[in-house]
Amino acid sequence: MSTASPSNFIRSIVEHDLAANKFAIRADWAKIRTRFPPEPNGYLHYGHAKSICLNFGLARDYGGVCHLRFDDTNPTKEEQEYVDSIIDAVRWLGFSWEANGTSHQFFASNYFAKLYGFAEHLVSRGLAYVDSQSADEMRASRGTLTQGGRNSPYRDRGVEENLRLLREMREGRHADGTHILRAKIDMDSPNINLRDPAMYRIRHAHHHRTGDAWCIYPTYDWAHGVSDAIEHITHSVCTLEFQDHRPLYDWFNEKLAEGGQLERPLPQQIEFARLNFTYVVLSKRKLIQLVEEKHVEGWDDPRLPTLVGARRRGYTPEGFRTFCDRIGVAKADSWIDLSVLEDCMREHLNEVAPRRIAVLDPLKLVIENYPEGKVELCEAPNHPQKPDLGKRPLPFSRALWIEREDYQQVPAKGYFRLFPGNRVRLRYGFVLECTGYDKATDTVRCNYLEDSRSGTPGADTYKVKGNIHWVSAAHSHTAEVRLYDRLFKAPHPGAEDGDFLKDLNPDSKKVVRAQLEPALRDAKPEEHFQFERHGYFVADCIDSKPGAPVFNRAVTLRDSWAKK
Ligand code: ATP
Ligand code: MG
C-alpha cells in the first residue's frame, strides 16, 4: 500500500504547506497529522470509507500520521460495541494508527478536563458566559438567516459570577437545562454559528468511558477543533456541512492560542463533498430503521452499505481504496453511481479470485454412451490470466449437473446451447450431443464424443457455438448460495414521496441450493472465488462450517443494472 493517490485540492494545500515549512517550528517527526473522528454511535458505512481513505491516505503519502479519534462527547448515544466495530473496520480497510512506535488512538472524552480548563480560561477573559435563559428563550433570541439575534439578559454577567456558576454546573448543583455556557462572540453575526454558540450543556448522564465523572458535556463545535489543536492536527478534513462552522473552529483555537493555552501553528479545517450513492441510503436514521424493522437481517447484512455488511458480502479493502482514488475529492456535493463502486470490486476480484464451477440452478444430465462407474479427470485453470496459479482436477462422469437455463426443449431463436439434436462443449471437457429429455426424471439425455476432450489433439475439429459449465453429480456437493443484489431498485430511494421503503428491491436476496465442484468444499470463510459465468462470491464468515461453506454473491460479472 505504498502507492500514492491521485492529486486533488486537499493534496495541493498539504503540498503548499509543506513547501512553506508551515509546521517546521514544531519539530514533530510527523510531517503532517490528520485524523478520522467518528462518533461511536453507529456502524461505519461506505461514506466513512471515503473519509478514512482520504485522511489515512494523506498521512501515508506525506510522511505523517492519521489519528483515530473517537468523538465521544455525547454521553447518551455512544457505546463500546461501536468503538470496537470502528477499530475493526479501519484496520480491515488496511490502515493503521500505529506510527513511530506508538498508537495514535484517542478519545475526545480524554480531553474533558483539559477542555473544562480552557473554558474557565475563556470565561476569565470575558470570552464566555453562563446563560440562564430557557431553551425556548434562547431559540427565540437567536434570530434567523436574514435577521440578527438579540443579546441574552445574562450576557453581561461579571467574570466572578460566571466562574462561580460554571463551577456549580460542573459540580452537579444545577438541573439539566437550567444553564449553559456560551461563547461571547456576536449575536448580530450573519453567520448563525457565531451567535454566542453553546459550549457546555448540563446533562446528568452516564458516559461509556468517563462514567459519572461529568454532568456537563461539551458541544461538538467546542470540543472538535480544540481536540484537533491539542493533538497537533495540521489538516482537519471534514465534510461540507461544516464549512459555516469554520469561523467558529478558528475562533476557539485563536482565542486559546492568544491566551497561551494552545500551541501554534493551529490546525486548518478543510471541507470536501460527502459521498452520496445512487441506489443507497447512508443516513444513520434510515439505516437504523432498516435494521430495526427487519428489512435486512442485521448491521452486517451484505445488502446494507455498512462496512461490516460490505465485508460479509465479499467486497474488498482494495476495491474501496481504488474506488476512493478514482472518485477523487470534490468541493461540491454530487452523486456517485453505485456501479462505480461495484466496478472497483469487480476489477480487484477479477485479479485475485480463483475460478471455480458452481451450478446454481441444477438440472440433471446423463451421458448415455459413457460407462457407468467410470471417472476421468479434466483439468481447469485456476485463473485464465495467471497460469502460475496452476490447474485443478475436475472429475468427469456419466451423470452431471448443468444449469437449467442451458437446456431448452424447444429452442428459442438464436439459442445455441443444449436442445435435442444440438451439440455443445462442456468447459474443460467433451463435446456433447443432446438426444432428448426424460420428463419423468427431469433429466437431459446426451451422448459424448469420445475424441473431443479439450486440450487433446483434434478436439477443436468440432465446431460448436455453445460452451456450458457442469459438475459431476457423484462428486459435487450441495451448498447454500445467496444471490445478493441492490437493496433499492430506485436510484434515489424515497425521492418521489419521502417513503424510501417503497423503493426496496424485492429481489435483493435470493437463496439457492447449488451444486459445487469438489474444490469448493474446503473454502475458508472470507475466501473469494469467481464462479464462472455467474460472478464473484465469498464464503460467508458467519454461517460457513468446516467442509460446508455457504457463499454470498459480492457482485455479478457484468453490470446488470446499466441497461434497465
Ligand atoms: P452523524 O450523522 O451521526 O454525524 P456521520 O455520518 O457524520 O454521522 P461521524 O461519526 O460523525 O458520522 O463521521 C466520522 C467522519 O466521517 C466525519 O469526519 C464525517 O465527515 C465523515 N463522513 C461521514 N459520512 C460521510 C460521507 N457520506 N462521505 C464522506 N465522509 C463522511
Ligand atoms: Mg458527524
Side-chain angles (χ1 to χ4, degrees):
M1 259 224 315
S2 54
T3 45
S5 302
S7 193
N8 58 52
F9 77 95
I10 299 180
R11 286 177 176 256
S12 303
I13 294 173
V14 170
E15 284 164 19
H16 177 269
D17 289 347
L18 288 173
N21 272 325
K22 183 172 169 192
F23 316 110
I25 47 163
R26 187 172 275 148
D28 189 344
W29 69 269
K31 294 203 170 62
I32 62 164
R33 287 179 185 265
T34 55
R35 85 285 172 268
F36 173 63
E39 193 181 341
N41 65 351
Y43 289 88
L44 298 185
H45 55 58
Y46 296 175
H48 293 112
K50 176 169 181 182
S51 177
I52 292 167
C53 291
L54 181 56
N55 282 297
F56 282 89
L58 286 170
R60 172 196 64 202
D61 295 342
Y62 293 100
V65 60
C66 179
H67 298 193
L68 174 62
R69 182 192 326 133
F70 292 98
D71 240 334
D72 58 348
T73 53
N74 187 348
T76 51
K77 288 197 263 164
E78 295 159 0
E79 286 173 33
Q80 187 61 37
E81 176 194 345
Y82 299 128
V83 171
D84 296 340
S85 89
I86 290 168
I87 288 175
D88 279 354
V90 180
R91 283 215 182 105
W92 177 69
L93 282 174
F95 297 105
S96 170
W97 46 92
E98 305 287 331
N100 202 35
T102 54
S103 163
H104 296 79
Q105 184 189 302
F106 302 99
F107 289 87
S109 57
N110 284 358
Y111 309 137
F112 280 174
K114 213 164 205 170
L115 284 167
Y116 178 79
F118 290 165
E120 285 207 355
H121 169 87
L122 293 181
V123 169
S124 65
R125 287 170 59 202
L127 294 170
Y129 64 99
V130 174
D131 194 349
S132 308
Q133 294 182 97
S134 70
D136 284 342
E137 285 166 335
M138 261 180 270
R139 206 170 301 122
S141 61
R142 206 174 55 198
T144 62
L145 284 174
T146 50
Q147 230 180 4
R150 284 189 317 276
N151 284 354
S152 161
Y154 301 97
R155 198 172 196 265
D156 293 320
R157 265 179 171 149
V159 166
E160 289 314 312
E161 188 185 356
N162 278 320
L163 270 181
R164 177 178 60 77
L165 282 168
L166 177 59
R167 287 175 185 156
E168 288 177 8
M169 282 165 63
R170 194 224 142 130
E171 285 158 17
R173 294 172 51 187
H174 296 285
D176 289 8
T178 51
H179 306 284
I180 70 166
L181 184 72
R182 298 177 79 171
K184 196 171 187 175
I185 307 182
D186 179 7
M187 286 306 291
D188 209 30
S189 171
N191 183 340
I192 292 189
N193 295 295
L194 294 179
R195 292 182 195 165
D196 292 7
M199 294 169 63
Y200 278 102
R201 293 200 172 82
I202 303 174
R203 291 175 87 175
H204 291 266
H206 189 84
H207 184 278
H208 79 121
R209 285 178 54 87
T210 58
D212 297 315
W214 293 88
C215 61
I216 57 172
Y217 288 95
T219 56
Y220 176 88
D221 281 323
W222 165 233
H224 191 84
V226 179
S227 302
D228 283 348
I230 291 170
E231 292 178 16
H232 293 173
I233 297 302
T234 55
H235 302 89
S236 177
V237 179
C238 64
T239 38
L240 280 178
E241 68 271 25
F242 292 103
Q243 194 158 8
D244 290 344
H245 297 237
R246 192 185 337 131
L248 180 55
Y249 180 103
D250 290 337
W251 189 90
F252 281 131
N253 283 343
E254 273 299 328
K255 295 297 173 200
L256 290 171
E258 271 169 22
Q261 306 294 303
L262 290 176
E263 263 176 53
R264 293 180 195 276
L266 294 169
Q268 178 186 359
Q269 177 179 305
I270 306 166
E271 306 85 14
F272 73 102
R274 69 169 46 234
L275 179 58
N276 297 304
F277 279 106
T278 55
Y279 297 95
V280 169
V281 301
L282 289 181
S283 128
K284 215 165 262 174
R285 180 180 63 75
K286 291 179 184 164
L287 295 179
I288 288 173
Q289 194 180 346
L290 289 169
V291 173
E292 285 183 350
E293 294 177 6
K294 302 206 182 332
H295 301 289
V296 293
E297 291 160 32
W299 286 102
D300 64 352
D301 188 300
R303 293 166 294 176
L304 271 193
T306 54
L307 295 182
V308 276
R311 179 172 181 174
R312 203 168 166 197
R313 181 168 185 147
Y315 283 10
T316 64
E318 291 85 349
F320 274 110
R321 296 199 301 260
T322 303
F323 169 77
C324 291
D325 283 346
R326 193 164 294 172
I327 57 170
V329 182
K331 286 191 209 184
D333 280 321
S334 65
W335 294 85
I336 301 285
D337 198 81
L338 186 55
S339 62
V340 180
L341 180 67
E342 292 167 340
D343 270 340
C344 292
M345 298 303 162
R346 216 173 258 132
E347 277 174 37
H348 178 241
L349 291 169
N350 177 42
E351 275 289 304
V352 300
R355 276 40 176 179
R356 294 288 183 264
I357 309 282
V359 176
L360 299 185
D361 186 10
L363 171 64
K364 191 60 93 48
L365 179 149
V366 169
I367 305 166
E368 294 181 308
N369 63 343
Y370 196 85
E372 299 259 8
K374 178 174 172 180
V375 178
E376 59 194 298
L377 295 179
C378 299
E379 273 199 324
N382 286 321
H383 197 295
Q385 287 95 44
K386 297 187 177 177
D388 47 309
L389 290 183
K391 294 185 171 183
R392 64 191 192 284
L394 286 179
F396 181 80
S397 64
R398 183 179 156 92
L400 309 178
W401 292 110
I402 62 163
E403 270 334 311
R404 191 164 285 278
E405 62 165 33
D406 287 341
Y407 175 78
Q408 288 188 356
Q409 180 73 17
V410 182
K413 194 163 173 280
Y415 187 83
F416 46 72
R417 286 169 274 170
L418 279 175
F419 54 86
N422 196 38
R423 288 179 176 183
V424 296
R425 174 168 292 283
L426 296 174
R427 260 179 196 216
Y428 319 117
F430 296 87
V431 172
L432 294 186
E433 183 169 296
C434 182
T435 55
Y437 166 77
D438 181 28
K439 203 167 176 187
T441 56
D442 189 23
T443 303
V444 177
R445 297 201 314 263
C446 291
N447 284 324
Y448 87 122
L449 306 173
E450 204 179 336
D451 56 350
S452 66
R453 183 167 158 173
S454 290
T456 58
D460 47 4
T461 55
Y462 294 98
K463 298 293 177 214
V464 293
K465 280 194 183 157
N467 183 322
I468 67 173
H469 64 272
W470 54 277
V471 291
S472 162
H475 302 86
S476 66
H477 60 283
T478 313
E480 176 174 328
V481 175
R482 299 149 179 176
L483 305 174
Y484 291 110
D485 201 350
R486 295 180 178 179
L487 184 56
F488 291 97
K489 59 184 179 344
H492 299 281
E496 229 167 75
D497 58 359
D499 181 7
F500 72 107
L501 296 175
K502 258 196 350 216
D503 291 323
L504 278 166
N505 173 9
D507 302 317
S508 62
K509 178 183 181 184
K510 218 175 107 191
V511 180
V512 299
R513 307 284 297 164
Q515 291 295 331
L516 310 185
E517 70 163 90
L520 283 169
R521 203 187 287 271
D522 298 320
K524 305 274 174 298
E526 300 206 68
E527 244 186 301
H528 292 93
F529 300 96
Q530 185 198 90
F531 289 177
E532 292 194 21
R533 296 173 70 203
H534 288 306
Y536 296 97
F537 291 74
V538 69
D540 188 79
C541 53
I542 308 285
D543 300 323
S544 294
K545 305 268 179 312
V550 169
F551 290 92
N552 300 331
R553 181 170 70 197
V555 64
T556 50
L557 287 181
R558 272 170 287 282
D559 182 1
S560 56
W561 287 78
K563 37 188 191 298
K564 286 184 190 178

